[in-house]
Amino acid sequence: MRLLLFGPPGAGKGTQARKLVDRYDLTQIATGNIIRAAMKNETPVGLEAKSYVEKGELVPDAVVRKLAEGAIADEDYDDFILDGYPRTLQQATWLTTFLTEHDAPLNAVLSLEVPDEEIVDRLSKRRVHAETGENYHLDVNPPPDEVDDDLIIQRPDDKPETVRNRLQVYRDQTEPLKTYYKERDLLVPVNGTGTPSDVHARITEAVEAHT
Ligand code: AMP
């Protein structure tokens, strides 16, 4: 099964991707996570990406493409869920060509629909476990008591000024991909509001109708 999870920052892509991984035994390919790991390890890619990520801008296509290409090839072009990739028309076009060449078309592009006000609220209250990468929300899904407070951090790009830029970048560069996938009959809008389990139930229904 080859799925793409699409949506603005804070729509719940990471949370939902993990649930789908458990349910369907897929591998999550999240370019944001790959980039953050590269930044932490100060690899050449990480050093190149850092200034873009910190400003809430997109990392150049050529850099992200290499990361995505390697990760997809590692999965034998099968049983993966892309999360946070593609984010530009150029990335999407490249992905289509790459998957077509390997006779591995996407089954569906699940588009999480969440109103703007809720996105800003979710991002400002998002906290992340520094070691496991687990996501929390201060009100809805707070970190459990046994987790060391010092390990619960706010992503630097979740600060309000950066969030505004990320949302603008999403509107300008990423949202147009909805039309791209709609034209290819792959776009499946899913209501992304409510609890993570509500959204997961809607997504699995959509997945099962399209695979
Ligand atoms: P995310 O964790 O998906 O919100 O990604 C965090 C940051 O990594 C983004 O704000 C971008 O700076 C960068 N990034 C992740 N995926 C991509 C991509 N497909 N294209 C360009 N930049 C990306």
Side-chain angles (χ1 to χ4, degrees):
M1 184 187 297
R2 288 173 292 270
L3 300 174
L4 198 165
L5 209 47
F6 186 85
K13 299 188 294 295
T15 304
Q16 294 302 328
R18 285 181 195 223
K19 288 182 178 289
L20 292 168
V21 163
D22 291 344
R23 184 159 186 146
Y24 298 113
D25 201 17
L26 307 172
T27 296
Q28 177 186 11
I29 301 176
T31 44
N33 292 349
I34 302 174
I35 292 169
R36 269 187 296 282
M39 284 166 55
K40 203 168 164 190
N41 295 327
E42 300 187 336
T43 67
V45 166
L47 294 173
E48 186 172 353
K50 196 167 190 281
S51 62
Y52 298 97
V53 175
E54 282 174 350
K55 283 186 262 172
E57 280 164 19
L58 295 183
V59 174
D61 280 341
V63 175
V64 192
R65 174 194 297 193
K66 277 186 242 149
L67 300 176
E69 182 178 49
I72 296 170
D74 283 349
E75 294 318 309
D76 294 332
Y77 311 97
D78 228 336
D79 291 325
F80 60 77
I81 177 155
L82 286 166
D83 147 16
Y85 183 90
R87 269 172 149 107
T88 65
L89 200 52
Q90 205 186 355
Q91 290 177 9
T93 313
W94 173 81
L95 179 67
T96 302
T97 309
F98 182 69
L99 292 179
T100 306
E101 274 168 9
H102 293 92
D103 200 18
L106 292 171
N107 295 101
V109 174
L110 304 154
S111 172
L112 291 176
E113 309 290 327
V114 180
D116 273 6
E117 325 73 89
E118 191 162 335
I119 284 174
V120 174
D121 177 78
R122 285 186 188 184
L123 289 175
S124 63
K125 293 183 181 155
R126 173 159 74 182
R127 295 296 181 273
V128 185
H129 191 290
E131 285 168 2
T132 64
E134 186 73 29
N135 280 326
Y136 300 103
H137 180 287
L138 292 179
D139 300 338
V140 179
N141 172 31
D145 288 342
E146 61 272 20
V147 177
D148 183 352
D149 280 351
D150 293 343
L151 290 175
I152 301 299
I153 55 165
Q154 184 175 38
R155 273 174 47 173
D157 59 344
D158 279 346
K159 302 261 154 64
E161 34 329 330
T162 318
V163 164
R164 274 193 291 278
N165 195 31
R166 285 166 64 206
L167 280 174
Q168 194 56 47
V169 167
Y170 171 77
R171 297 276 171 248
D172 295 344
Q173 302 191 53
T174 307
E175 200 169 32
L177 298 191
K178 280 194 194 174
T179 311
Y180 177 88
Y181 285 117
K182 199 169 178 188
E183 284 168 0
R184 284 159 184 77
D185 273 340
L186 284 169
L187 193 77
V188 185
V190 177
N191 175 353
T193 63
T195 67
S197 346
D198 292 341
V199 180
H200 178 63
R202 292 182 204 122
I203 291 182
T204 52
E205 205 178 306
V207 167
E208 276 151 36
H210 289 85
T211 48

